[in-house]
Structure formats: structure tokens, C-alpha cells
Amino acid sequence: MSPLVSPRVFSEMEVARHCTKYSCWVLLGTKVYDVTGFLRMHPGGEALILHRSGNDVSLEMEGPPHRHSENARRWMEQYYIGELDTDSNADETQTVRERRKTQEHTVDEEPSPLSKCSQVDLDTDLVDWRKPLAWQVGHLGEKYDTWVHQPVDRPIRLFGNEFLEASTKTSWYMVPAVWMPLVFYLSWYCYTTLALETTRLFASTDYSVLVHKYSFPLIFIMGMVMWTFIEYCIHRFVFHMRPPAHNYYLITIHFLLHGQHHKSPYDGSRLVFPPGLASVVVGSFYLLLTKAFPETLGVSLFVGGLFGYVVYDMTHYYLHYGSPQRNTYLYSLKAYHVKHHFEHQRAGFGISTTLWDHPFNTVIPEQTF
């Protein structure tokens, strides 16, 4: 075990100085937390934290209107940096706070380095974070489900092999860069092919129906809606399956598919699907749709679904790293998705929309926001 180290002690005046987006500290009782790296992640927006910077946020954590979950409180401990010196001068502290609030809009400050690593205890955690995790998690057995849903703010190393590790990481812009040119090309192809007026439904019967070129936008939208249902089903029944505690391989597969995202939800390199892996699923749906429908109609549905997938991945990334304005759709969607990560892992499976959570009764209760 590592030797015990006394926590650093900060004066109230020193805590009060850190009240900008470049360096933001808050208090929980006498504990001091540097939450600078969490500002953009906060589902309520960074302004709610900045407004309370340098102050005790114990009441806000307890609620109302929102009592923070145990996972949220555990997450908070990752930003603990020391203790408050309760003997520091309060009058001088208030003066510093007022001066800093006045200056923060007029003075440019250099951003401080942000540590995105959690305070995982390397000696007591159920896995060895100094080694790749992919081959360890399967041994957790019945402890896996609880462990994987206790999120940390720390990058994950899945594989020891550099090529395998790199293949699991993707920058967000790779998704539109790879798939949007295909969306544009196939949209043009479908529209021009439908304009030839050779695509018909039930072509081999006496009741055949011409698929007109002007119906392409409607078919495209139907493909997008179809994707939202597929998105919901994959997220709920595949990504959130409960692997049997005795099955090493299913636990490992679950962790690689989605468990690692719940364990480290702010690992920015793993918030979107690598195009190589996604191409297997995309190709399968292409073949399925073109076999089930007349080719051009199937491709039209497919391209709408492919665009829906791009919107889904971009939305997912934004919900983790974006700062939507209060009272907007994306603001409520971000709060909804963060609730899914920190409090309701068995509900709230919609990402780009909550549409399908309603008929399947997996809506996160409104009172928990």
C-alpha cells in the first residue's frame, strides 16, 4: 500500500480565487474540489457550476430540485484536491471573490492544465489499471455489473498491442468524413434512378405501384426513423445485455462493445464507432434492405438510415462534450443521457431521440432530472 499523505490545506481566500472556466474550484463542506475539467461535461451546463465556484455546493448536491446520485457523488471524489482551512479570513475572501467576478469578463487568462484521470486506487481496484483491461474484466464474474456501472474519469487501455488499441479509437470527425460522401452519392444515385420510372412495388403482380422520384425525401426520412428504432434496439438489447456472471467471453465482449464506455464515459477517443467496425453492421443492413425491397427503394431506405446513424454518432459525442443552451432540446437530451450513465443504466436507451423509450416503457422518470 502507498504511504498515507496528509491532504493539502487551502485558505478560503485561495479557494475564492478559482472562479473562472479556466480554474474552477468548489467546496463540499470542508473538502476542496477542482472541477475545471468537469465544466463541459456537467449536464446542467457549465454556468451552473461557475455561478457557485468558490462556494459550498452541499445543498445543491442534496437538492431540491435534483438530488445527485451515488455515482455522481463518487464521480465528484475524483476531483478532490484538499481541505479548507476554516481559520482563514472570510472578509478578505469575499473581497477576492468580488474582484475576480468583475475581472473575469475583461482579462484573458491562460488555461491551466486539465487532468482527466480519476483517483482510482491502483492497489485496491478490482482490476489492474496498469495493464490492458480487455482480458481482465471477464474474471470479475458477478462483480462485473456493479464495477462497470461505477464510472471513472480516466482513459482506458484495452489492449497491449498498439495496432489493436489504435483500432478501437476514433476521432469524432472521422464519422462524417467517411460516411457523408457515401450519403451524398447514394442520395443522388437513388433520385436519378427513381426518375427513370422503372422502380415499382409489387412489380410481379397486377397491383404494382410506381415509386416516383419525388417520394425520395419521404423514403429518406422513413430510413432515418427506421434507424432510430435500430439504435434503440442495439443499445437496449445488445449493449445493455447482462452477460452471465460465469461466462468470461460474454463479459469480455460486453465490455469491448459498450461496458468500457460506461466505465469511462468521457474517454473522447471512444465516443463514436470506428468506421471499420461500423462498416460490418452498415454492410449487413445494406444487403438486408436491398434483398427485402426493390433495389433502388432498398438503397433509398438505407441511405436515410445511414444518415440517421451519422446524426446519432455526432449527437452522442455532443451529449458528452457539448454545452447546449438551457431550455433547448439538446440540453434536455444531454441531461437525459447523463442520467442514463450515472443513475438509470436500465432505462433511457434513446440517444438521438427518446421516441422509442415511450412505447417500450423505458423512459427515465422526469422527477429525477
Side-chain angles (χ1 to χ4, degrees):
M1 296 292 290
S2 56
L4 293 176
V5 179
S6 299
R8 184 177 172 186
V9 178
F10 301 95
S11 68
E12 289 188 7
M13 182 178 66
E14 190 171 3
V15 173
R17 288 196 185 102
H18 296 270
C19 56
T20 73
K21 64 180 180 180
Y22 301 120
S23 184
C24 182
W25 294 7
V26 296
L27 297 168
L28 267 180
T30 60
K31 290 186 174 183
V32 183
Y33 299 84
D34 181 355
V35 294
T36 312
F38 182 67
L39 288 177
R40 289 186 62 196
M41 306 175 191
H42 185 240
E46 62 182 36
L48 290 180
I49 300 181
L50 284 172
H51 181 66
R52 296 163 176 82
S53 59
N55 294 307
D56 190 346
V57 296
S58 299
L59 292 178
E60 283 78 6
M61 292 292 287
E62 287 295 330
H66 167 58
R67 187 179 188 278
H68 290 69
S69 67
E70 289 304 315
N71 271 336
R73 294 163 188 273
R74 189 180 295 111
W75 184 277
M76 183 76 167
E77 291 305 314
Q78 299 175 93
Y79 304 108
Y80 173 76
I81 57 174
E83 296 289 329
L84 178 68
D85 179 4
T86 56
D87 295 327
S88 59
N89 189 297
D91 291 336
E92 188 175 5
T93 300
Q94 183 62 27
T95 301
V96 171
R97 285 176 179 159
E98 291 176 355
R99 184 170 67 247
R100 294 296 292 168
K101 292 294 183 182
T102 302
Q103 291 177 346
E104 67 178 342
H105 299 293
T106 58
V107 179
D108 291 328
E109 300 180 50
E110 290 296 323
S112 59
L114 303 181
S115 172
K116 296 204 173 187
C117 292
S118 69
Q119 301 300 315
V120 172
D121 191 327
L122 299 179
D123 297 311
T124 62
D125 199 77
L126 296 178
V127 297
D128 187 349
W129 286 85
R130 291 160 291 204
K131 298 177 181 178
L133 298 189
W135 313 126
Q136 298 186 59
V137 295
H139 297 293
L140 294 179
E142 60 185 14
K143 297 179 181 179
Y144 171 75
D145 191 66
T146 300
W147 175 84
V148 82
H149 289 122
Q150 293 176 345
V152 296
D153 189 9
R154 179 189 179 96
I156 286 178
R157 175 87 186 193
L158 290 177
F159 301 104
N161 181 276
E162 295 295 338
F163 176 78
L164 280 177
E165 180 69 8
S167 68
T168 67
K169 297 182 177 182
T170 308
S171 298
W172 68 267
Y173 53 80
M174 288 301 297
V175 173
V178 169
W179 298 116
M180 285 308 295
L182 185 59
V183 169
F184 287 128
Y185 170 75
L186 289 179
S187 296
W188 171 82
Y189 166 80
C190 290
Y191 183 80
T192 55
T193 304
L194 290 176
L196 299 176
E197 299 187 353
T198 57
T199 302
R200 307 185 74 88
L201 276 173
F202 315 114
S204 59
T205 71
D206 295 333
Y207 304 100
S208 64
V209 178
L210 175 68
V211 182
H212 201 277
K213 64 180 180 180
Y214 294 131
S215 65
F216 174 72
L218 177 60
I219 300 171
F220 186 94
I221 292 173
M222 289 173 61
M224 290 184 65
V225 174
M226 177 186 68
W227 163 256
T228 63
F229 179 68
I230 294 170
E231 165 198 320
Y232 175 88
C233 291
I234 292 176
H235 191 193
R236 179 179 179 180
F237 299 111
V238 180
F239 290 170
H240 279 273
M241 68 171 180
R242 289 190 175 184
H246 62 276
N247 196 311
Y248 170 90
Y249 298 102
L250 281 180
I251 291 175
T252 302
I253 290 171
H254 177 268
F255 186 71
L256 294 176
L257 283 176
H258 197 61
Q260 49 84 17
H261 174 55
H262 270 262
K263 187 63 182 176
S264 181
Y266 292 104
D267 184 347
S269 63
R270 291 194 176 100
L271 285 178
V272 297
F273 278 95
L277 177 62
S279 64
V280 177
V281 180
V282 168
S284 299
F285 280 110
Y286 175 85
L287 293 175
L288 179 63
L289 289 171
T290 53
K291 294 297 182 182
F293 299 96
E295 182 180 1
T296 307
L297 177 58
V299 176
S300 299
L301 284 168
F302 167 78
V303 71
L306 182 59
F307 181 71
Y309 159 69
V310 174
V311 172
Y312 149 79
D313 245 353
M314 295 299 92
T315 301
H316 185 223
Y317 187 89
Y318 185 77
L319 295 185
H320 281 264
Y321 276 102
S323 297
Q325 292 186 349
R326 197 172 182 84
N327 299 322
T328 63
Y329 174 71
L330 285 175
Y331 181 90
S332 62
L333 203 59
K334 179 182 175 77
Y336 190 82
H337 187 60
V338 171
K339 279 291 181 183
H340 167 73
H341 272 280
F342 285 86
E343 194 169 349
H344 291 270
Q345 294 91 358
R346 303 302 174 189
F349 299 109
I351 306 296
S352 55
T353 175
T354 63
L355 172 66
W356 299 105
D357 279 316
H358 293 274
F360 292 105
N361 198 31
T362 55
V363 178
I364 296 176
E366 290 185 9
Q367 62 267 26
T368 64
F369 283 96

